[in-house]
Amino acid sequence: MLGTIYLEMPAKPNVMNNLQDDNSIINPETPAKYKSDADVVSLEDESGRVEISGHCLNRELLVTGMIVGILGKEVATGAFEAIDVCLPGMADQDPLPEQDTQHPKYVALLSGLNIGADDQLDVKNQLLSEFLSGELGSSADEMSSASISRVILAGNSVTKATKKADNTKGAKKYGYDASTFSASPMLQLDEILQDICSSIDVDIMPGPTDPSPLHLPQQPMHTAMFKHAHQLSTFHSVTNPYWCKVDNVTFLGTSGQNIDDIYRYVDTADRIKLAEICMYWRHMAPSAPDTLWSYPFNDRDPFIIEKTPHVYFIGNQPQFEDSLLNGPNGQKVRVILVPSFAETGIMVLVNLSTLECSAVHFSENGIQPVNEDRMETDNE
């Protein structure tokens, strides 16, 4: 049988239940995990939906929206007993271009700058700006920053909008009032981007806290919000998810909402594994639009991975991790979890020649490479 997985989960938010509850005033909190022992797994296609059972389901990572083939048989109860589950597998990949290994170029990945409404700029952000602009450190540091050909900011560049203190007297205003919100975070972000864009290309993706519609795919933040940076040709406001090519090396990344939502469907806490399996599902956000907000598309699914990228990165994750996936037909994918820069001070560098990945740590004490005690996992 071929079809789409659907999980009936009592712990999963249900908009219809919320509308039926007349006593509900605020949206209920999203649980850390949707998964429970009461979940029911179904497979549906154009003809209808059938319940799926079987011990093999316990070892699979199942998420609503993924397309699978299931081998099994119908049992007396009317359910379908699965013997094996077949995933689409990794899509074809363009060959990795030959690069200059003696003078490699790098792409810097960042997420979660979380620039707030404070007037004083964070020290880490200032160090980052000066490093990428080549204004910081020794001649060796200047050479290393000069080898970075592009910077990708993967969402949450500013904090959520906050209201100014209302000290005015008179009648109270209700509803949205643009004058009561602080523009300080965007002004600070614009200042940082202007400095960085003076010497390097920057692609900025929206995230859940940025001024962009929350529905995926998130549209680029309007350039009018970047008064100074958008005047430079090196500034690029892009979508989330984001595809791009840098020296013919293909990058695909998101600001993290897709993995955060997939994480709630499964028992495992191994987020790098969840990012890797997206390549085998050929889908980066199967749970949209069920539990992940997205625009309606009648004739196509924009989240299908039709070509396997060389680098797949996920922003705003708890910690830095990376792995190398080797596909059956010679595909090679570097999967990267990019942590919040505001919380960790980590910037990730990807070598375009080898796809090797390293991290640089920014703190009040200076800049230093991250010592990796973990073992890199190469998956077949």
Side-chain angles (χ1 to χ4, degrees), residues 109 111 122 158 261 303 352:
L109 301 176
S111 69
D122 187 87
V158 296
D261 199 56
F303 306 115
L352 294 178

Side-chain angles (χ1 to χ4, degrees), residues 149-206:
S149 60
R150 186 174 292 265
V151 177
I152 300 178
L153 299 177
N156 287 5
S157 297
V158 296
T159 57
K160 288 185 178 180
T162 56
K163 279 192 174 184
K164 297 178 182 177
D166 188 6
N167 298 321
T168 59
K169 295 181 179 180
K172 187 175 181 180
K173 295 182 179 179
Y174 293 90
Y176 176 79
D177 183 1
S179 64
T180 63
F181 287 86
S182 172
S184 178
M186 290 304 298
L187 295 176
Q188 292 182 35
L189 177 62
D190 184 34
E191 181 181 343
I192 292 176
L193 292 176
Q194 183 185 18
D195 292 339
I196 300 175
C197 290
S198 62
S199 57
I200 191 171
D201 281 273
V202 176
D203 299 338
I204 181 168
M205 302 163 55

Side-chain angles (χ1 to χ4, degrees), residues 5 17 43 47 54 59 80 97 119 126 152 218 236 238 249 264 269 277-278 294 299 303 308 340 374:
I5 290 290
N17 292 342
L43 189 75
S47 62
R59 62 175 183 267
F80 191 84
D119 292 332
Q126 190 64 44
I152 300 178
Q218 283 185 284
H236 313 280
V238 300
V249 176
R264 297 187 178 101
I277 203 168
C278 289
S294 72
D299 55 349
F303 306 115
T308 298
S340 167
R374 57 182 172 74

Side-chain angles (χ1 to χ4, degrees), residues 253-286:
T254 75
S255 294
Q257 297 101 311
N258 59 328
I259 298 300
D260 291 342
D261 199 56
I262 292 172
Y263 174 83
R264 297 187 178 101
Y265 278 85
V266 296
D267 284 327
T268 181
D270 189 353
R271 287 175 176 260
I272 193 72
K273 184 178 181 180
L274 300 181
E276 291 170 353
I277 203 168
C278 289
M279 295 294 105
Y280 297 102
W281 292 343
R282 295 197 193 184
H283 207 292
M284 69 184 88

Side-chain angles (χ1 to χ4, degrees), residues 293-311:
W293 290 2
S294 72
Y295 289 100
F297 292 91
N298 293 327
D299 55 349
R300 66 185 183 91
D301 187 340
F303 306 115
I304 291 176
I305 303 173
E306 298 179 354
K307 280 279 187 180
T308 298
H310 298 115
V311 178

Side-chain angles (χ1 to χ4, degrees), residues 1-4 42-51:
M1 290 180 63
L2 295 175
T4 304
S42 301
L43 189 75
E44 64 177 28
D45 57 15
E46 294 86 351
S47 62
R49 181 185 296 176
V50 62
E51 183 179 333

